[in-house]
Amino acid sequence: MVCCLLGIAMTSFAEDMKLTVPELEPKLTYGETMTYRPELSLNVSKIDAAATVTTDGWKPDFDFFKSKTNPGVKPYKFMDDMTFVGVPLFLAGWAIKGDKAMFRVNNKEGKANTQLLTDFKTGIDDYTQFFGPAMTAGLKLGGYEGRSDWPRLLASAGLSYAIMAGLVNGIKYTAKEMRPDGSTANSWPSGHTATSFVGATLLHKEYGLTRSPWFSVAGYGVATATGVMRVLNNRHWVSDVMSGAGIGIISGELGYAIADLLFKGKGLLRNDLEMDFENPSFFSISMGLGLGGKDIDFSLNDLQNRDKYDPSQYNLEDDGSSERLEFRAATVVDAEGAYFFNKYVGVGGRFRVRAMSAKSFGKYNDIATDNPNDYWQEAFDDIYLQANQRLDMAKANIGGAPITNIGGVVKSDHLAEFTASAGLYFNIPLSKHFAIGTKFLIGRSFTQELDIDGFAEGNVKNVNYALYVMNGKVYEDEEGKYFALSDPEGTGDTYSTEWNYLTLGAKSSTSFGTGISLTYKYKSNFSWRLFCDYDYTKKSFELTYDPYAFMKNALTSNAYDLLCNSLVSPYHALTDPVVYKKDKKMNYFTLGLSFLVNL
């Protein structure tokens, strides 16, 4: 009986404990906040290795000989990433290889006076050429995963540098081009620039394509700066740098192409970044070759204060002749960017540095002479002594030569322009990978002057003189001569002086620019661009030429005051600096290559 009652109770309790599941009805609601939790997603059919994130941070990677391959990484085909953009750079350098001239300017510190030398010198370019591999190795050692594992990376880098070394040295010692400083005949192409651009391509392949495009900008930006410094250091011509950059890019791409053929899918860690950039907004760095506007002429019409000169006295008749300063093809470096509202129209700006190195200073490089005292002879014969009287140098050397050393030092042989511009940009898509573009810019241009300093050393001289006064006028004799001058006499003192021998500069001016370009988009977020730009500006140039300023130190104060400052001397005007001013319309053309990051 008890068992029966217990069974009935248990049955009743079980029925009471039965769970009832309500029927679920799908319902779309609005205004509610939903949280997406990717760790609960079961859709793992498609994994992008380039988008994976390691949550436990970076770990140092010293597995130089251990091969590893991440799953889901697309293998590269042979020459899959070749762009051949280095070819036009190399050819551009080859085309202007003949645009050289060496002339005497600097004979200081025992340098031969048959070459162009400047005081500018930096050793930074000896180190920046290794920026690319240093960055790549540092990121890799720190555990920041890039395109390749260590064996594949080392093979790609080794092949790239081997190809570059073979091309550079093979051409160098075949062409035998003399360097600007006259040191060796192995100038073309530039090894530093080629090395730097190989490293930039290495950083671009490993981290720019897979991690962030700004790694590529940094690499190619430093490589471009390295090339410019090689020119400023007078170690290379512009042609050497252009060809060196081309060889560097070609070598880097070939090295990776061969490694892709050898390794196939092994040793790949990350895919290229894939970004959907239909909008042509961009940031770019460029290197170009500047043509046009290379010569500046100065004539008597440009001479300032002509009223203080007596043309009949100094044979300054204006026969239409002019003094010309000639310049080589310019090195042009740009940083440029634009934001596009759609596929066709945008706004942006450009910062351009254009440096033209001197090819010839005309008569202004004559400060260096084989016999220093020839310069003193010319100074006295042309300026201080009477037209019918010659300086007796034998007597002038009594008490020591008036000049024991004289010459010039080029502080800056470049006429550099810095231009900041802004305006409209236009883009016409031709296909998925190609587009034509143009722009219309207005900006302001600033000029850094060309500068040559003179230096002279010697023995201080005094000059005896006699004056004749007749009827309130100063004469020497009845022939109307002003002075009776004796040969310079030694004082026992020496002098050493430096001064501004020649400067050429220009005022700031408004600049107008346009151009046409062909863009090749070879990755989703990277492009190469060939461009031809035209820029116009009207410059007000000023040239100051002061050949005899050393005389202030070479003469006693009394002699200098009489000969150079006295109004009684018809020659005193020529001791002042000669100043020319000229307005010139400058038409610049620039051919170049840009590396673009699509934004």
Side-chain angles (χ1 to χ4, degrees), residues 374-385 548 550-551:
D374 287 346
Y375 204 74
W376 178 277
Q377 175 94 47
E378 180 181 352
F380 262 77
D381 288 350
D382 289 349
I383 296 177
Y384 301 109
L385 297 183
Y548 301 123
F550 70 94
M551 285 294 188

